[in-house]
Amino acid sequence: MANPRSLVYALYNHWDTVEVLVRLSREFAVLTTEQVLGCIAKVAPQLDAEAQGAALRAMVNADILQPCARSSDLQLNAYVLDFVRGLTREHELGLAAVLQARVAAIREATEALNEGMQAADMDRTRGAANKLAELFRQISLQLDQDRHALLELAEDAKSADASMPIAQRYRRVLEAYDHYVEPMNQMMDTGPQGTFYRYLEDAERSLDLAFEQLSVQGGLYSHRLQLRQVAHQAKELRRFGRLIAQQCADTVLPLREEMRQHNALTSAVSLLLGQVRKRGLRRALSRHTVGTEMPVWRNERGFRLQLGDEVRTVMAAAQQYQPQSVAFPQDDPGNAPPLLEHVDEVGIRQQLRSSLPVDNLLDWLHTHHGHLQDATLLRLFHELQHEGSWQIEASAHPETTTLQTIRVLHHPHRVSIPE
């Protein structure tokens, strides 16, 4: 096993060469000595053959490159390969089954956390919290790596040769959608079939309840701090997962639904955007690469726009438009409210006094003054009930009186001369 300090120092000295070798390893799992020397010559053309061989031996001695068994070929150290790919965004698309297994492990860790809190076993509770934190970190890292891998597939498909058949150019994109994006969308579905958000919500709820329980019971501050930090990771992972799923869908779905036509300019722009995303704007847009990678393209064919007959008809109607006045319901004379009636209330009272006793006041009003409106008749009925100059007695059995437009259910009021 190589010394970690020597390995890191060798990576610092030969970083440009290692970066090229990592990109080359996506096409060749095992590298020959000639390929490695060619990469060294490409990165440092000023070195002679002896200096290039010395650089190759230095990388082998530092364990950056490892000799293959039963062969003179070389391969990159697995730890170096993962480390450099993580920094340069050169990851291969992961497996959806691995992500699903890690999401399923969240449920098991949540159950262990709940069992530890019920049994007051802090060692088991802390172990479950640590496992949840590690799962959250692994899932977040894999989602980020898979996002860049999908973007790389889309950029490669867009920047491919325009003369290549469309099915061949977009083959890897379609395979990524069927084997990764679609299973991930099913897993991240917010409905009952999805497991990602449901398991994260359960874990977040269990962590919050455990934190509250320790706060009430008086647990150690370090234990409560650990639970709160892991709960924050769960909340952030829910937001991050939703963002990654949306970005993956926005990247792959347009390519899957519509195979757009590309020319040399769009292919070069897609390739350049991919380099900017991985290497940065300054390194990707250097003076040596812009002029050579961007083709000269100009559309010399002119074009003109012409309005159709439908648009002309709409515009003509808009120019001759005249607003129409519409009468609101309250302005319609037919809907005007009835005017107040003039009623001789003094005469009605004298007539009632002369007719006493009256067994049913409302029937008496309807019989002698049925020409009045129903509202006026009911108003007089209520006002005469409260007169103090005669005696009013309400019956215990209700009766029905039919007026002009309404039927009234009431208790008959008997009006008589006070004793």
Side-chain angles (χ1 to χ4, degrees):
M1 181 177 178
N3 188 359
R5 292 185 178 182
S6 301
L7 180 60
V8 174
Y9 184 71
L11 280 175
Y12 170 75
N13 291 329
H14 304 283
W15 176 260
D16 294 335
T17 304
V18 173
E19 188 176 357
V20 176
L21 291 176
V22 169
R23 287 199 298 269
L24 187 62
S25 66
R26 302 187 64 176
E27 300 179 3
F28 301 96
V30 178
L31 304 175
T32 62
T33 305
E34 290 75 13
Q35 288 177 328
V36 177
L37 291 175
C39 293
I40 296 175
K42 181 180 179 180
V43 173
Q46 72 278 5
L47 298 179
D48 54 7
E50 183 179 357
Q52 294 174 4
L56 173 59
R57 290 190 296 271
M59 287 189 290
V60 172
N61 294 332
D63 206 25
I64 295 178
L65 291 172
Q66 298 174 340
C68 297
R70 301 179 183 180
S71 174
S72 60
D73 297 333
L74 302 171
Q75 63 180 2
L76 285 168
N77 190 340
Y79 297 104
V80 174
L81 189 61
D82 291 339
F83 176 71
V84 178
R85 280 182 175 178
L87 296 179
T88 57
R89 307 298 187 185
E90 295 286 348
H91 281 284
E92 295 287 346
L93 185 61
L95 298 176
V98 177
L99 187 60
Q100 292 175 353
R102 288 174 175 170
V103 171
I106 294 178
R107 181 182 61 179
E108 300 176 359
T110 304
E111 293 176 355
L113 177 66
N114 295 331
E115 293 175 359
M117 289 302 301
Q118 292 177 0
D121 188 355
M122 288 308 303
D123 291 337
R124 187 173 185 181
T125 302
R126 293 183 59 192
N130 290 332
K131 185 177 180 180
L132 285 174
E134 182 64 20
L135 288 172
F136 294 159
R137 186 192 64 80
Q138 293 176 356
I139 293 173
S140 177
L141 180 61
Q142 182 176 355
L143 288 176
D144 184 63
Q145 293 174 356
D146 293 342
R147 172 183 60 175
H148 286 280
L150 280 173
L151 292 176
E152 177 106 12
L153 290 177
E155 291 161 358
D156 291 343
K158 295 177 183 178
S159 60
D161 189 5
S163 60
M164 186 183 302
I166 294 179
Q168 184 178 354
R169 261 193 299 165
Y170 292 94
R171 177 178 55 83
R172 296 185 62 190
V173 176
L174 298 178
E175 291 178 355
Y177 181 86
D178 295 334
H179 297 93
Y180 182 83
V181 177
E182 187 64 26
M184 187 176 68
N185 290 337
Q186 295 177 0
M187 181 182 60
M188 291 191 176
D189 187 11
T190 55
Q193 301 297 332
T195 58
F196 185 80
Y197 297 119
R198 181 155 50 90
Y199 290 168
L200 280 178
E201 288 178 356
D202 294 342
E204 180 183 344
R205 189 181 305 108
S206 299
L207 290 168
D208 292 338
L209 291 176
F211 176 78
E212 294 178 0
Q213 185 174 349
L214 290 181
S215 300
V216 173
Q217 295 178 356
L220 294 178
Y221 175 75
S222 59
H223 297 170
R224 290 186 283 118
L225 180 62
Q226 180 185 13
L227 293 175
R228 186 176 62 180
Q229 291 172 347
V230 178
H232 290 169
Q233 291 181 1
K235 294 180 177 66
E236 178 62 21
L237 183 58
R238 287 177 57 192
R239 184 199 65 81
F240 187 67
R242 188 181 302 108
L243 177 63
I244 294 299
Q246 184 64 34
Q247 290 180 354
C248 293
D250 294 341
T251 302
V252 180
L253 279 179
L255 300 179
R256 179 179 178 269
E257 300 297 333
E258 181 181 0
M259 301 298 185
R260 296 182 301 177
Q261 183 179 0
H262 296 279
N263 50 28
L265 180 63
T266 55
S267 300
V269 168
S270 299
L271 179 61
L272 193 59
L273 289 176
Q275 294 179 359
V276 169
R277 179 181 60 82
K278 293 187 295 185
R279 304 173 58 185
L281 184 63
R282 181 176 299 178
R283 295 184 62 187
L285 296 179
S286 62
R287 290 180 298 176
H288 303 286
T289 59
V290 174
T292 58
E293 296 181 0
M294 292 295 294
V296 179
W297 179 82
R298 182 177 59 186
N299 186 9
E300 298 180 354
R301 296 182 58 185
F303 63 92
R304 64 177 183 176
L305 299 177
Q306 184 176 1
L307 296 178
D309 296 336
E310 297 82 1
V311 179
R312 294 177 182 273
T313 303
V314 173
M315 294 179 61
Q319 291 179 353
Q320 300 177 0
Y321 173 75
Q322 294 181 356
Q324 299 179 358
S325 59
V326 179
F328 287 94
Q330 59 268 23
D331 297 336
D332 193 353
N335 295 334
L339 300 176
L340 296 178
E341 291 181 306
H342 177 70
V343 181
D344 186 8
E345 297 184 6
V346 177
I348 293 176
R349 285 180 171 82
Q350 294 177 356
Q351 183 180 3
L352 177 62
R353 185 180 298 274
S354 61
S355 302
L356 295 180
V358 174
D359 294 333
N360 193 329
L361 177 60
L362 185 59
D363 289 345
W364 182 87
L365 288 172
H366 180 59
T367 302
H368 293 83
H369 303 280
H371 62 281
L372 297 177
Q373 300 177 9
D374 293 345
T376 304
L377 205 63
L378 291 175
R379 180 179 62 82
L380 291 174
F381 172 67
H382 289 291
E383 290 181 355
L384 293 175
Q385 290 180 23
H386 299 87
E387 284 288 337
S389 58
W390 44 63
Q391 184 176 357
I392 303 294
E393 296 178 359
S395 175
H397 303 285
E399 294 183 4
T400 302
T401 301
T402 302
L403 304 180
Q404 294 182 6
T405 58
I406 62 176
R407 182 181 294 109
V408 181
L409 178 64
H410 64 102
H411 292 269
H413 288 68
R414 185 177 187 278
V415 185
S416 60
I417 299 175
E419 297 178 358

